[in-house]
Amino acid sequence: MATTDDLRAAINRIRLVDHHVHSVVGENLTEDELEVALTEAYLPPARPATVFDSQLGFAVRNWCAPLLDLPAFASPAAYVARRTELGPDEVNRRFLTAAGASDLLVDIGYTGDRLIPDAELARLSDTRVRTLLRLESVAERWVSSDLEGLASLDALLRESASSAVGFKSVAAYRGGLRLPAEPPAAQDVETALRDWRDIVRTQDTPPRLTDRTIQRHLIWWALRDGRPLQFHTGFGDPDLLLRDSDPLALQDLLVRAADLGGPVVLLHTYPFVRQAGYLAAVLPHVYFDVGLTSNHIGTSAVTAVREALELAPFGKLLYSSDGIGLPELTFLGARQWRTATTAVLTENMREHGWPAGECLRVAELIGHGNARAIYGLD
């Protein structure tokens, strides 16, 4: 009979599809820079508080330090010094390979000046790197170009999406998810595009799409395309209004789009995990994950995984780390998911009679099988 240790070892061997992640920084970081990179905030907390004294900070010191040949719970100063000594390539290689992924689906909407190119990310992680196209970024490129009219925006979307396996919307950051259910009329989109360009021409800052009509057009364009469309939901940085990022705010739109058949994936979802699970349970084309969540809630990740497995079919749940900047986040996302998933499935095996083979099959569905199916990775 399979034991708990057998199940843990099997889950640890799963080659994950990290279906939403970002690239990593290719240079050394100071202690202050590392601390900011470990939070969704723009600045570290006011002293004497420190991000290193948090669930994520303790996870870094506990689980990441040994990968740098340091003792667990080494001091932040010692950790940063060792990172600098090894150099960014070696640090990135160690953590990215330790995550145990076969495929990274990279959101290229936020690149930053310090993030390494996808080809370098693939080399250091020993994975296949695929592209996720952020819709708002395409529109912002359009408005900064000499292109005119809705037809040219749609053409730019098609061209930009030629090698993408899916799409991403950050509408939650650009006014929230309370969007009308119906697609906008073409005439209204044309007017909105002209008005936006007039505004952008008077500004010295990079364009930032917040117009709801244009956002809705981008979303419906992606829905009609049929490749998976990801929505950021739940917590994030201070640009986001958490009260307007509950995935239930999308329910009317999701119901309206159900006949199109393209998968919609609700990312992150904390603290709305059960709401996302409900939508995935009642709408055939909706999927979700608890990426980003497990890193930040640390030892409570088991609670998020347990809630995610409550209501939705197991074929509706995906794995992601949402790691960005720090390879530690990509590694810890995988480690925390494996640990929490093992704990929940072991509980079901011991207390509810689930066969060990079925528990492993569920973990494999979430870890890579479901993502391979909906993104067409095979």
Side-chain angles (χ1 to χ4, degrees):
M1 178 179 294
T3 67
T4 299
D5 288 342
D6 293 334
L7 180 61
R8 178 182 298 108
I11 290 175
N12 285 341
R13 288 193 297 268
I14 294 173
R15 295 283 283 171
L16 299 172
V17 172
D18 192 340
H19 88 109
H20 183 83
V21 68
H22 304 261
S23 189
V24 296
V25 171
E27 54 192 74
N28 286 323
L29 300 176
T30 66
E31 185 172 334
D32 285 346
E33 288 174 327
L34 184 67
E35 185 160 1
V36 171
L38 288 172
T39 176
E40 289 293 302
Y42 296 144
L43 297 169
R47 302 308 185 203
T50 168
V51 173
F52 287 107
D53 286 339
S54 68
Q55 288 280 357
L56 180 51
F58 267 43
V60 168
R61 295 174 60 209
N62 190 12
W63 305 117
C64 295
L67 281 178
L68 301 182
D69 310 314
L70 294 170
F73 287 98
S75 71
Y79 187 89
V80 173
R82 179 58 176 161
R83 261 180 137 265
T84 301
E85 179 184 5
L86 288 171
D89 273 15
E90 179 63 12
V91 169
N92 286 332
R93 185 193 64 78
R94 290 190 184 194
F95 286 118
L96 292 172
T97 56
S102 63
D103 297 80
L104 302 179
L105 276 54
V106 177
D107 175 2
I108 60 171
Y110 175 77
T111 54
D113 296 334
R114 306 175 75 179
L115 301 186
I116 64 176
D118 286 354
E120 185 72 358
L121 180 67
R123 182 183 70 83
L124 291 172
S125 62
D126 192 24
T127 65
R128 291 178 291 271
V129 171
R130 327 276 187 141
T131 296
L132 297 166
L133 184 69
R134 187 179 293 195
L135 297 170
E136 291 82 1
S137 297
V138 177
E140 288 158 0
R141 280 198 287 121
W142 176 90
V143 79
S144 300
S145 72
D146 295 328
L147 299 173
E148 297 284 349
L150 177 56
S152 68
L153 172 60
D154 289 351
L156 183 61
L157 285 164
R158 287 192 298 273
E159 177 187 346
S160 303
S162 61
S163 61
V165 297
F167 306 103
K168 161 82 177 295
S169 171
V170 290
Y173 284 89
R174 309 297 179 87
L177 298 176
R178 301 186 186 282
L179 297 163
E182 68 280 353
Q187 182 177 352
D188 292 339
V189 181
E190 292 277 14
T191 300
L193 289 172
R194 286 196 299 270
D195 292 346
W196 185 32
R197 172 155 281 162
D198 289 342
I199 293 170
V200 167
R201 284 171 174 163
T202 67
Q203 297 174 333
D204 295 327
T205 56
R208 178 178 170 84
L209 176 63
T210 57
D211 183 276
R212 307 298 268 173
T213 300
I214 301 172
Q215 284 178 343
R216 289 162 57 208
H217 174 74
L218 297 174
I219 289 166
W220 279 95
W221 183 93
L223 288 168
R224 293 183 180 112
D225 174 90
R227 280 171 279 186
L229 169 59
Q230 302 177 350
F231 283 95
H232 181 110
T233 70
F235 85 109
D237 68 41
D239 277 354
L240 175 146
L241 293 177
L242 188 60
R243 64 178 178 269
D244 292 328
S245 67
D246 186 331
L248 288 179
L250 287 169
Q251 185 170 357
D252 289 345
L253 187 153
L254 294 175
V255 169
R256 178 72 180 265
D259 290 343
L260 296 176
V264 173
V265 187
L266 307 172
L267 300 175
H268 318 324
T269 65
Y270 182 86
F272 310 113
V273 177
R274 284 175 163 148
Q275 289 91 320
Y278 163 74
L279 292 171
V282 300
L283 296 174
H285 62 307
V286 174
Y287 301 77
F288 73 115
D289 72 22
V290 290
L292 177 65
T293 300
S294 56
N295 271 339
H296 286 271
I297 64 176
T299 56
S300 292
V302 66
T303 301
V305 170
R306 184 180 290 111
E307 290 181 357
L309 289 169
E310 283 178 350
L311 185 60
F314 306 140
K316 292 300 201 76
L317 187 57
L318 308 178
Y319 166 74
S320 79
S321 67
D322 195 37
I324 181 171
L326 298 181
E328 286 94 334
L329 298 176
T330 305
F331 162 69
L332 284 174
R335 193 193 187 285
Q336 300 285 45
W337 177 83
R338 293 181 199 272
T339 300
T341 299
T342 298
V344 174
L345 293 176
T346 296
E347 177 184 297
N348 288 334
M349 186 171 70
R350 286 178 170 175
E351 299 184 16
H352 305 292
W354 290 20
E358 291 296 287
C359 289
L360 177 58
R361 188 173 65 84
V362 169
E364 289 174 337
L365 284 173
I366 300 167
H368 63 79
N370 296 333
R372 289 195 178 284
I374 72 166
Y375 292 98
L377 299 185
D378 292 332

